[in-house]
Coordinates of all heavy atoms in Angstrom, one line a residue:
R176 N 175.7 -10.2 40.3 CA 176.5 -9.7 41.5 C 175.7 -8.6 42.2 O 175.6 -8.6 43.5 CB 177.9 -9.2 41.1 CG 178.8 -10.3 40.7 CD 180.2 -9.8 40.4 NE 181.0 -11.0 40.1 CZ 182.0 -11.0 39.2 NH1 182.3 -9.8 38.5 NH2 182.7 -12.0 39.0
E177 N 175.1 -7.7 41.5 CA 174.3 -6.6 42.1 C 173.1 -7.2 42.8 O 172.8 -6.8 44.0 CB 173.9 -5.6 41.0 CG 173.1 -4.5 41.6 CD 172.7 -3.5 40.5 OE1 173.6 -3.1 39.6 OE2 171.5 -3.1 40.4
E178 N 172.4 -8.1 42.2 CA 171.2 -8.7 42.8 C 171.6 -9.6 44.0 O 170.8 -9.6 45.0 CB 170.4 -9.5 41.7 CG 169.8 -8.7 40.6 CD 168.8 -7.7 41.1 OE1 168.0 -8.0 41.9 OE2 168.9 -6.5 40.6
A179 N 172.7 -10.3 43.9 CA 173.1 -11.1 45.1 C 173.4 -10.2 46.3 O 173.0 -10.5 47.4 CB 174.3 -11.9 44.7
A180 N 174.1 -9.1 46.0 CA 174.5 -8.1 47.1 C 173.2 -7.6 47.8 O 173.2 -7.4 49.0 CB 175.3 -7.0 46.5
K181 N 172.2 -7.3 47.0 CA 170.9 -6.7 47.5 C 170.3 -7.7 48.5 O 169.6 -7.3 49.4 CB 169.9 -6.5 46.4 CG 170.2 -5.3 45.6 CD 169.1 -5.2 44.5 CE 169.4 -4.1 43.4 NZ 168.4 -4.1 42.4
R182 N 170.6 -9.0 48.3 CA 170.0 -10.1 49.1 C 170.9 -10.6 50.2 O 170.6 -11.5 50.9 CB 169.5 -11.2 48.1 CG 168.4 -10.8 47.2 CD 168.3 -11.7 46.0 NE 167.1 -11.4 45.2 CZ 167.1 -10.3 44.3 NH1 168.2 -9.6 44.2 NH2 166.0 -10.1 43.6
G183 N 172.1 -10.0 50.2 CA 173.0 -10.5 51.2 C 173.6 -11.8 50.9 O 174.1 -12.5 51.8
L184 N 173.7 -12.2 49.7 CA 174.3 -13.4 49.2 C 175.7 -13.2 48.7 O 175.9 -12.3 48.0 CB 173.4 -14.1 48.2 CG 171.9 -14.4 48.5 CD1 171.1 -14.8 47.3 CD2 171.9 -15.5 49.6
E185 N 176.5 -14.2 48.9 CA 177.8 -14.2 48.3 C 177.7 -15.1 47.0 O 177.1 -16.2 47.1 CB 178.8 -14.9 49.3 CG 180.3 -14.9 48.8 CD 181.2 -15.5 49.8 OE1 180.9 -15.5 51.0 OE2 182.3 -16.0 49.3
V186 N 178.2 -14.6 45.9 CA 178.0 -15.3 44.7 C 179.3 -15.4 43.9 O 180.2 -14.5 43.9 CB 176.9 -14.6 43.8 CG1 177.4 -13.2 43.3 CG2 176.4 -15.4 42.7
E187 N 179.5 -16.5 43.3 CA 180.6 -16.7 42.3 C 180.0 -17.1 41.0 O 179.2 -18.1 40.9 CB 181.5 -17.8 42.9 CG 182.7 -18.1 41.9 CD 183.7 -19.1 42.5 OE1 183.9 -19.1 43.7 OE2 184.2 -19.9 41.7
C188 N 180.4 -16.4 39.9 CA 179.9 -16.7 38.6 C 180.9 -17.4 37.8 O 182.1 -16.9 37.7 CB 179.4 -15.4 37.9 SG 178.1 -14.6 38.7
R189 N 180.5 -18.5 37.1 CA 181.5 -19.2 36.2 C 180.7 -19.5 34.9 O 179.5 -19.7 34.9 CB 181.9 -20.5 36.9 CG 182.6 -20.4 38.2 CD 184.0 -19.7 38.1 NE 184.9 -20.4 37.3 CZ 185.7 -21.3 37.7 NH1 185.7 -21.7 39.0 NH2 186.6 -21.9 36.9
Q190 N 181.5 -19.6 33.8 CA 180.9 -19.9 32.5 C 181.8 -20.9 31.9 O 183.1 -20.8 32.0 CB 180.8 -18.7 31.7 CG 180.0 -18.9 30.4 CD 180.9 -19.4 29.2 OE1 182.1 -19.2 29.1 NE2 180.3 -20.2 28.4
S191 N 181.3 -21.9 31.2 CA 182.1 -22.9 30.5 C 181.3 -23.4 29.3 O 180.1 -23.6 29.3 CB 182.4 -24.1 31.4 OG 183.2 -25.0 30.6
N192 N 182.0 -23.6 28.2 CA 181.5 -24.2 27.0 C 181.7 -25.7 27.0 O 181.3 -26.4 26.1 CB 182.1 -23.6 25.8 CG 181.8 -22.2 25.6 OD1 180.6 -21.8 25.8 ND2 182.8 -21.4 25.2
S193 N 182.3 -26.3 28.1 CA 182.6 -27.7 28.2 C 181.8 -28.4 29.2 O 181.7 -28.0 30.4 CB 184.1 -27.8 28.6 OG 184.4 -29.1 29.0
E194 N 181.1 -29.5 28.8 CA 180.3 -30.3 29.7 C 181.1 -30.8 30.9 O 180.7 -30.8 32.0 CB 179.7 -31.4 28.9 CG 178.8 -32.3 29.7 CD 178.2 -33.4 28.9 OE1 178.9 -33.9 27.9 OE2 177.1 -33.9 29.2
G195 N 182.3 -31.3 30.6 CA 183.1 -31.9 31.6 C 183.5 -30.9 32.7 O 183.6 -31.1 33.9
E196 N 183.8 -29.6 32.2 CA 184.2 -28.6 33.1 C 183.0 -28.2 34.0 O 183.2 -27.9 35.2 CB 184.7 -27.4 32.4 CG 185.2 -26.3 33.3 CD 185.9 -25.1 32.6 OE1 186.3 -25.3 31.4 OE2 186.0 -24.0 33.2
I197 N 181.8 -28.2 33.5 CA 180.6 -27.9 34.3 C 180.4 -29.0 35.3 O 180.2 -28.7 36.5 CB 179.4 -27.7 33.4 CG1 179.5 -26.5 32.5 CG2 178.1 -27.7 34.2 CD1 178.5 -26.3 31.4
V198 N 180.6 -30.2 35.0 CA 180.5 -31.3 35.9 C 181.6 -31.1 37.0 O 181.2 -31.3 38.2 CB 180.7 -32.7 35.2 CG1 180.9 -33.8 36.3 CG2 179.5 -33.0 34.3
T199 N 182.8 -30.8 36.7 CA 183.8 -30.5 37.7 C 183.4 -29.4 38.6 O 183.6 -29.4 39.8 CB 185.2 -30.3 37.0 OG1 185.5 -31.5 36.2 CG2 186.3 -30.0 38.0
L200 N 182.9 -28.3 38.0 CA 182.5 -27.1 38.9 C 181.4 -27.6 39.9 O 181.5 -27.2 41.1 CB 181.9 -26.0 38.0 CG 182.9 -25.2 37.2 CD1 182.2 -24.3 36.2 CD2 183.9 -24.4 38.1
I201 N 180.5 -28.4 39.5 CA 179.4 -28.9 40.4 C 180.1 -29.8 41.4 O 179.8 -29.6 42.6 CB 178.4 -29.7 39.6 CG1 177.6 -28.7 38.6 CG2 177.4 -30.4 40.5 CD1 176.8 -29.4 37.6
Q202 N 181.0 -30.6 41.1 CA 181.6 -31.5 42.1 C 182.4 -30.7 43.1 O 182.4 -31.0 44.3 CB 182.5 -32.5 41.4 CG 181.7 -33.6 40.6 CD 182.7 -34.5 39.8 OE1 183.9 -34.3 39.7 NE2 182.1 -35.5 39.2
Q203 N 183.1 -29.7 42.6 CA 184.0 -28.9 43.5 C 183.1 -28.0 44.4 O 183.6 -27.5 45.4 CB 184.9 -28.0 42.6 CG 186.0 -28.8 42.0 CD 186.8 -28.0 41.0 OE1 186.4 -26.9 40.5 NE2 188.0 -28.5 40.6
A204 N 181.8 -27.8 44.1 CA 180.9 -27.0 44.9 C 180.5 -27.7 46.2 O 180.1 -27.1 47.2 CB 179.7 -26.6 44.1
Y205 N 180.7 -29.0 46.2 CA 180.3 -29.9 47.4 C 181.0 -29.4 48.6 O 182.2 -29.2 48.7 CB 180.7 -31.3 47.1 CG 180.3 -32.3 48.2 CD1 178.9 -32.5 48.4 CD2 181.2 -32.9 48.9 CE1 178.5 -33.4 49.4 CE2 180.8 -33.8 49.9 CZ 179.5 -34.0 50.1 OH 179.1 -34.9 51.1
K206 N 180.2 -29.1 49.6 CA 180.6 -28.6 51.0 C 181.3 -27.2 50.9 O 182.0 -26.8 51.9 CB 181.5 -29.6 51.7 CG 180.8 -30.9 52.1 CD 181.6 -31.7 53.0 CE 180.8 -32.9 53.4 NZ 181.4 -33.8 54.3
V207 N 181.2 -26.5 49.8 CA 181.7 -25.2 49.6 C 180.6 -24.2 49.4 O 180.6 -23.1 50.0 CB 182.7 -25.1 48.4 CG1 183.2 -23.7 48.2 CG2 183.9 -26.1 48.7
F208 N 179.6 -24.5 48.6 CA 178.5 -23.6 48.3 C 177.2 -24.2 48.9 O 177.0 -25.4 49.0 CB 178.3 -23.5 46.8 CG 179.5 -22.7 46.2 CD1 180.6 -23.3 45.7 CD2 179.4 -21.3 46.1 CE1 181.6 -22.6 45.1 CE2 180.4 -20.6 45.5 CZ 181.5 -21.2 45.0
D209 N 176.3 -23.2 49.2 CA 175.0 -23.6 49.8 C 173.9 -23.7 48.8 O 172.9 -24.3 49.0 CB 174.6 -22.5 50.8 CG 175.6 -22.2 51.9 OD1 175.9 -23.2 52.6 OD2 176.1 -21.1 51.9
G210 N 174.2 -23.2 47.6 CA 173.2 -23.3 46.5 C 173.9 -23.2 45.1 O 175.0 -22.6 45.1
I211 N 173.2 -23.7 44.1 CA 173.7 -23.5 42.7 C 172.6 -22.9 41.9 O 171.4 -23.4 42.0 CB 174.1 -24.9 42.1 CG1 175.3 -25.5 42.9 CG2 174.4 -24.8 40.6 CD1 175.7 -26.9 42.5
V212 N 172.9 -21.9 41.1 CA 172.0 -21.4 40.1 C 172.7 -21.9 38.8 O 173.9 -21.5 38.6 CB 171.9 -19.9 40.1 CG1 171.1 -19.4 38.9 CG2 171.2 -19.5 41.4
I213 N 172.0 -22.6 37.9 CA 172.6 -23.1 36.7 C 171.8 -22.8 35.5 O 170.6 -23.0 35.5 CB 173.0 -24.6 36.8 CG1 173.7 -25.1 35.6 CG2 171.7 -25.4 37.0 CD1 174.3 -26.4 35.7
N214 N 172.4 -22.2 34.5 CA 171.8 -22.2 33.1 C 172.7 -23.1 32.3 O 173.7 -22.7 31.8 CB 171.8 -20.7 32.6 CG 171.2 -20.6 31.2 OD1 171.0 -21.6 30.5 ND2 170.8 -19.4 30.9
P215 N 172.3 -24.3 32.1 CA 173.1 -25.3 31.4 C 173.1 -25.1 29.9 O 173.8 -25.8 29.2 CB 172.5 -26.6 31.8 CG 171.2 -26.4 32.3 CD 171.1 -24.9 32.7
A216 N 172.3 -24.1 29.4 CA 172.2 -23.8 28.0 C 171.9 -25.1 27.2 O 171.0 -25.9 27.6 CB 173.4 -23.1 27.5
A217 N 172.6 -25.4 26.1 CA 172.3 -26.5 25.3 C 172.4 -27.9 26.1 O 171.8 -28.8 25.7 CB 173.2 -26.6 24.1
Y218 N 173.2 -27.9 27.1 CA 173.4 -29.1 27.9 C 172.1 -29.5 28.7 O 172.0 -30.6 29.2 CB 174.6 -29.1 28.8 CG 175.9 -29.1 28.1 CD1 176.9 -28.1 28.4 CD2 176.2 -30.0 27.1 CE1 178.1 -28.1 27.7 CE2 177.4 -30.0 26.4 CZ 178.4 -29.0 26.7 OH 179.6 -29.0 26.1
T219 N 171.2 -28.5 28.8 CA 169.9 -28.8 29.4 C 169.3 -30.0 28.9 O 168.7 -30.8 29.6 CB 169.0 -27.6 29.1 OG1 169.6 -26.4 29.6 CG2 167.6 -27.8 29.7
H220 N 169.3 -30.1 27.5 CA 168.6 -31.1 26.8 C 169.3 -32.4 26.5 O 168.8 -33.3 25.9 CB 168.1 -30.5 25.5 CG 167.7 -29.1 25.6 ND1 166.6 -28.6 26.3 CD2 168.4 -27.9 25.2 CE1 166.6 -27.3 26.3 NE2 167.6 -26.9 25.7
T221 N 170.6 -32.4 26.9 CA 171.4 -33.5 26.5 C 172.3 -34.2 27.6 O 172.8 -35.3 27.4 CB 172.4 -33.1 25.4 OG1 173.3 -32.1 25.9 CG2 171.7 -32.5 24.2
S222 N 172.5 -33.5 28.7 CA 173.5 -33.9 29.6 C 173.0 -34.7 30.9 O 172.6 -34.1 31.9 CB 174.3 -32.8 30.1 OG 175.4 -33.3 30.9
V223 N 173.1 -36.0 30.8 CA 172.9 -36.8 31.9 C 174.0 -36.7 32.9 O 173.8 -36.7 34.1 CB 172.7 -38.3 31.5 CG1 172.6 -39.2 32.7 CG2 171.5 -38.5 30.6

């Protein structure tokens, strides 16, 4: 949040342990957010 403010960016942070919830967050971002920063953690290596 501090780093986003320094850059004049609006940021929303979300965390989930659920793959399906992460997919839903991405889908809900459509036409709402201009960019996504994602740390998919363990799903990095497994989630098509």
Side-chain angles (χ1 to χ4, degrees):
R176 288 184 178 145
E177 181 178 315
E178 293 298 316
K181 287 179 189 175
R182 291 158 178 80
L184 301 172
E185 184 180 335
V186 69
E187 181 177 322
C188 297
R189 302 293 300 272
Q190 188 278 328
S191 178
N192 293 318
S193 168
E194 181 181 31
E196 185 175 340
I197 292 170
V198 168
T199 298
L200 289 170
I201 293 166
Q202 291 173 353
Q203 290 172 343
Y205 184 67
K206 293 190 177 185
V207 175
F208 290 91
D209 303 301
I211 295 174
V212 174
I213 185 168
N214 182 341
Y218 292 132
T219 302
H220 324 290
T221 63
S222 184
V223 174

